[in-house]
Structures are given as structure tokens and as C-alpha cells.
């Protein structure tokens, strides 16, 4: 059973608009959430994270929102740029993350000119 | 600083052959993870080590898979014998004390078993 779910395999957004990627989780023990970005033929790279004690974290064009009651988080990218086209993985951990991260299957974001 | 280094980047092998994937974690990191990426299952954690000790290998699919970490700067993932369904991208990742939630990935080893 998948503990971290990304229900949209792909998402197409026009350049300059807002991209919203969604993620749901089932394990209430998770206390830290991360987004990774992956280009073809490269490894995933860390993008942004949020602790369960917060509901929002912002870093430049990227903002992650966490709704603990709904067990839902989202990544907002605004404005979207062509270089944002990639696969985005949602990940979660608990207890300091020493046990590794549990990943969703990813959402392929395509930014159209 | 050098990131996580994996080798080989690409491997094509025949069914039944032994495959060994190698990883050098980021210097100073004390946790090392092996992940596998497939279309069907996404990124799966196979095994992880803390301070060179295997902690959880419940993600290893079968006895054909084994992993070792003889020292803090080197780990191997071995598949023997390999099968076509093992074809995937295998990622090694590491993390350090204090930022244990953020792990850093290598560029992956693309394995094709024919």
C-alpha cells in the first residue's frame, strides 16, 4: 500500500502561470515532507521541504503547503518557467529521517511556451 | 564538494550474469541508501545503512539481491543471478547527521538485463 501518493502522473502548464503539484499521505507518523525534482538521466535533487509544525514554507518561486488534517501537501511554482519541466517527487519521513524517505511515484510537469 | 558517485552509469548484461553496482557517498555522511526506480513502482527503498551497518533490508526484492558497506566511503549492490525484471535505474543516496531528512542522490546506474 502506497503511503505517499501523487495521483497525477503528468501536468501541463503554460509558461508564466502557476503550477500546483499535489501529494497525499496516509501515515500519520510522517513529520517531515520534501519535494525533489528530477531531470532525465539525472538523480533526484532536493527542492524544498516542510516540517509538520509548519503549514507553509516558501523559497523563491517555490512554496510548499501542508494540511495535516487532510494529510495533503502541495507544491506551488509561480511563475512557471521552461526549466521547471521535470518529474517532481513528493517524499516523507519521520523521526529525523534516519530510516530514509518514502517517495510518491512522481508527477511529470511540462511547461508549455 | 563531490556529490554521491555511482558506477557504472550504464550496464547492459545478459540474464543470469552477476551485476555489481558501486557507490561512494558524500564524505562525512553516515547514512547510505539504495533506491530503485521503475515505471510501475516509482522510487523504492531497497536497503539502508547507518554507520556502515545495514539497518533495514526489507525492501530488497529477493535473495538474489545483496548489499555491503565495508567502509564509510564505499557500498555495493549486487544482483546474482540477474533477470530481465531487474532492469531499472538504481540510485544510491546519502545523508548526514543534522540533516537526516534530506538525502542526496547520485546520478543513478541504468541497468538493462536482456
Amino acid at each position: 500500500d502506497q503511503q505517499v501518493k501523487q495521483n497525477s502522473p503528468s501536468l501541463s502548464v503554460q509558461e508564466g502561470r502557476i503550477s500546483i503539484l499535489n501529494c497525499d499521505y496516509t501515515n500519520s507518523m510522517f513529520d517531515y515532507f520534501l519535494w525533489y525534482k528530477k531531470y532525465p538521466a539525472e538523480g533526484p535533487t532536493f527542492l524544498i521541504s516542510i516540517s509538520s509544525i509548519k503549514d507553509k514554507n516558501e523559497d523563491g518561486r517555490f512554496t510548499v503547503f501542508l494540511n495535516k488534517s487532510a494529510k495533503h501537501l502541495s507544491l506551488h511554482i509561480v511563475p512557471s518557467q521552461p526549466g521547471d519541466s521535470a518529474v517532481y517527487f513528493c517524499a516523507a519521513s519521520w523521526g529525523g529521517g534516519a530510516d530514509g524517505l518514502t517517495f510518491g511515484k512522481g508527477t511529470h510537469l511540462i511547461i508549455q511556451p | 564538494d563531490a556529490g554521491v558517485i555511482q558506477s557504472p552509469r550504464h550496464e547492459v548484461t545478459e540474464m543470469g550474469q552477476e551485476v555489481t553496482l558501486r557507490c561512494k557517498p558524500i564524505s562525512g555522511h553516515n547514512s547510505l541508501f539504495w533506491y530503485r526506480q521503475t515505471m510501475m513502482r516509482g522510487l523504492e527503498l531497497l536497503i539502508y545503512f547507518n554507520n556502515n551497518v545495514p539497518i533495514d533490508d526489507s525492501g530488497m526484492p529477493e535473495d538474489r539481491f545483496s548489499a555491503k558497506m565495508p567502509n564509510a566511503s564505499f557500498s555495493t549492490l549486487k544482483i546474482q543471478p540477474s533477470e530481465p525484471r531487474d532492469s531499472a535505474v538504481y540510485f544510491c543516496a546519502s545523508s548526514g547527521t543534522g540533516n537526516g531528512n534530506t538525502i542526496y542522490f547520485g546520478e543513478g546506474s541504468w541497468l538493462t538485463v536482456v
Side-chain angles (χ1 to χ4, degrees):
Chain A
D1 185 34
Q2 276 232 301
Q3 297 186 63
V4 177
K5 299 178 184 178
Q6 294 176 256
N7 292 320
S8 298
S10 66
L11 175 68
S12 183
V13 175
Q14 238 180 348
E15 182 179 356
R17 298 286 188 106
I18 183 171
S19 296
I20 300 176
L21 296 96
N22 293 303
C23 177
D24 298 292
Y25 62 96
T26 58
N27 188 342
S28 56
M29 295 286 289
F30 288 142
D31 58 11
Y32 201 80
F33 305 89
L34 309 88
W35 285 94
Y36 279 75
K37 177 179 180 179
K38 184 183 180 303
Y39 292 119
E42 294 183 9
T45 56
F46 170 72
L47 186 60
I48 191 169
S49 62
I50 187 167
S51 164
S52 60
I53 62 173
K54 295 186 175 181
D55 54 19
K56 176 183 175 181
N57 187 28
E58 190 172 351
D59 183 2
R61 296 186 297 114
F62 303 91
T63 303
V64 55
F65 295 92
L66 175 62
N67 182 335
K68 282 180 293 184
S69 60
K71 293 192 177 69
H72 177 84
L73 64 154
S74 60
L75 174 67
H76 293 212
I77 307 172
V78 54
S80 301
Q81 299 175 353
D84 297 330
S85 295
V87 177
Y88 289 80
F89 289 97
C90 173
S93 71
W94 64 278
D99 295 343
L101 301 175
T102 301
F103 284 85
K105 290 188 178 181
T107 297
H108 185 193
L109 176 64
I110 302 163
I111 305 301
Q112 295 184 332
Chain B
D1 284 342
V4 176
I5 300 172
Q6 292 186 245
S7 65
R9 287 296 314 276
H10 299 271
E11 173 102 3
V12 180
T13 190
E14 290 187 344
M15 183 174 63
Q17 295 298 305
E18 177 179 295
V19 173
T20 300
L21 308 178
R22 298 173 178 80
C23 175
K24 177 176 167 46
I26 293 172
S27 178
H29 280 189
N30 62 337
S31 294
L32 183 140
F33 308 87
W34 282 100
Y35 281 86
R36 177 172 70 175
Q37 183 187 15
T38 60
M39 290 291 291
M40 290 295 294
R41 302 175 70 88
L43 275 165
E44 304 174 271
L45 178 64
L46 301 178
I47 185 171
Y48 71 94
F49 297 81
N50 280 346
N51 297 316
N52 314 340
V53 177
I55 302 301
D56 185 356
D57 65 354
S58 60
M60 298 284 259
E62 298 173 33
D63 290 345
R64 298 183 296 106
F65 286 69
S66 62
K68 293 183 180 179
M69 191 165 185
N71 57 63
S73 59
F74 184 65
S75 176
T76 59
L77 177 67
K78 187 173 292 186
I79 308 172
Q80 166 63 22
S82 58
E83 295 182 3
R85 60 191 166 129
D86 302 331
S87 298
V89 185
Y90 291 81
F91 289 103
C92 178
S94 69
S95 69
T97 305
N99 66 341
N101 297 98
T102 303
I103 67 175
Y104 299 87
F105 284 82
E107 294 194 323
S109 292
W110 295 65
L111 173 65
T112 303
V113 183
V114 297

